[in-house]
Amino acid sequence: MAYMFIFGCFLLLGVASSLAARTGYRGRVCDRSDGYEVPAAVRSDPVLRQRANSLVAFWCTGAAALSFAPLVPIGSVILGDGGQSVSTWGLVVFALHGLAVVVIGAYPFEKIKHLGDPSRP
């Protein structure tokens, strides 16, 4: 049962990251209809808008790849006999991997908040 939950969580992370990366590749990160909070300076400057789109496309693609990677071994266990259980260390590893995926996926959105700030490099 725990494998199904872990599989579902990583699948959800992968789909969400893929949709965000798709928004970046389409160049729609600064559109209000997509729901991303972007400072006005970034929205008005074409160079910063392109930088925001490339940040989201790159980092969210990486987060999606890292999200989909554990689906193969977890899926093979689910499709197998099912007589296996998740150890405590296995849960810790999956939790740390999931945390890394979330941090990588959230990085471009935090970076975009500071793109138009002249006091930050």
Side-chain angles (χ1 to χ4, degrees):
M1 183 66 183
Y3 282 114
M4 293 295 287
F5 178 73
I6 294 169
F7 186 87
C9 288
F10 279 109
L11 184 64
L12 183 64
L13 277 172
V15 169
S17 298
S18 297
L19 289 175
R22 180 177 147 221
T23 303
Y25 283 117
R26 288 185 169 196
R28 299 180 48 104
V29 170
C30 296
D31 293 346
R32 287 182 180 235
S33 63
D34 289 334
Y36 298 127
E37 292 291 326
V38 177
V42 176
R43 206 176 311 120
S44 62
D45 186 9
V47 174
L48 291 177
R49 187 181 312 139
Q50 177 60 32
R51 177 77 175 136
N53 287 322
S54 66
L55 278 170
V56 171
F58 178 78
W59 288 99
C60 288
T61 300
L66 288 174
S67 297
F68 289 134
L71 295 181
V72 174
I74 295 171
S76 66
V77 170
I78 290 172
L79 294 175
D81 293 337
Q84 299 174 338
S85 64
V86 182
S87 67
T88 304
W89 288 110
L91 289 175
V92 169
V93 168
F94 281 127
L96 289 175
H97 186 78
L99 180 65
V101 169
V102 169
V103 168
I104 289 170
Y107 170 77
F109 298 104
E110 289 299 317
K111 180 74 173 168
I112 288 170
K113 290 179 185 177
H114 304 292
L115 276 180
D117 189 7
S119 65
R120 290 193 166 241

